[in-house]
Amino acid sequence: MEPRFVGRIGLADVVTIANAAVGFLATVAAIVDITLAVRLILLAAIADALDGVIARHRGGTTVGEYLDSLADVASFGVAPASVVAVVILDVWHQSNWWGLALGGTALFVAAAVTRLGLYTAYDSASNETEGVQTTLAATILAASVLAGFTNPAILSALVVILTVLMLAPITYPDLHAQDAIVMGSVQTAAIGLTGSFGHHIAGTLVEGFAFGLLFLSLAYLVFGPQFYWRRE
């Protein structure tokens, strides 16, 4: 007897499912190594872009869009919220602020789930979508941590802003292929550089690419709705 998924999922769906598994690993890694956790989130973002490319070139399946949203909940909702929660508990565990801040991370997950459901229902066939993409929100949080911004006040403020923007009626156009390649290249550099260059050099390079990724992500967050060129 064959498993039910045989013949019903394609290569793009396999990448999507792997994305969900990476999101789970990022959530667990947050407890042990924050840097590893955010690198895994960025790896999941690359997988999220890759499954779309594969689906366009090899064809998608009926289940694909549902798997995509479910995977994104794990990788771009729960995982980044877990990273921020761990930072908050580590620094503010004896403060009166930790409960309120953790509530903010829970709202971030709730907003991500809501936004992904709305996207699947209304925007998946369009070249633009309302609200900040969960992938972008997670990338901003991950790049912030990788660039050294681990102050819980800064991360909590970012979580609140991104939570609001995910549900805001602001239209964001999809990235064009050449721009997605640039973003993916910077993400890959931030993920892949290790101590083989020497600990100090590698750390400096990673931080530099993290700053570059954060700059590109924030630029699109702020200017994308108004100035990013759309397909006619």
Side-chain angles (χ1 to χ4, degrees), residues 76-78 81-82 85 99-115 134 141 156 158-167:
F76 311 127
V78 176
S82 298
L100 182 62
L102 284 184
T105 62
L107 289 176
F108 178 90
V109 175
V113 171
T114 303
R115 192 234 179 261
T134 53
L141 290 172
S156 295
L158 267 178
V159 163
V160 170
I161 293 169
L162 293 169
T163 296
V164 172
L165 290 178
M166 277 193 285
L167 301 179

Side-chain angles (χ1 to χ4, degrees), residues 65-117:
E65 61 182 326
Y66 301 101
L67 289 175
D68 190 61
S69 289
L70 289 169
D72 288 357
V73 168
S75 298
F76 311 127
V78 176
S82 298
V83 167
V84 175
V86 168
V87 172
I88 289 169
L89 289 174
D90 184 53
V91 179
W92 281 352
H93 63 279
Q94 294 182 333
S95 167
N96 294 327
W97 291 100
W98 70 268
L100 182 62
L102 284 184
T105 62
L107 289 176
F108 178 90
V109 175
V113 171
T114 303
R115 192 234 179 261
L116 287 164

Side-chain angles (χ1 to χ4, degrees), residues 22 26 35-49 75-76 135-136 138-144 146 183-184 186-191 206 209-210 213 217:
V22 171
T35 300
L36 174 60
V38 296
R39 282 179 167 175
L40 288 171
I41 290 171
L42 295 180
L43 179 61
I46 293 173
D48 185 57
S75 298
F76 311 127
T135 311
L136 178 63
T139 297
I140 290 172
L141 290 172
S144 297
L146 203 56
M183 288 285 286
V186 178
Q187 286 173 323
T188 302
I191 295 166
V206 167
F209 280 111
L213 180 60
S217 300

Side-chain angles (χ1 to χ4, degrees), residues 179-207:
D179 299 324
I181 290 171
V182 171
M183 288 285 286
S185 299
V186 178
Q187 286 173 323
T188 302
I191 295 166
L193 291 172
T194 65
S196 59
F197 295 94
H199 181 74
H200 177 71
I201 296 175
T204 302
L205 288 172
V206 167
E207 189 173 286

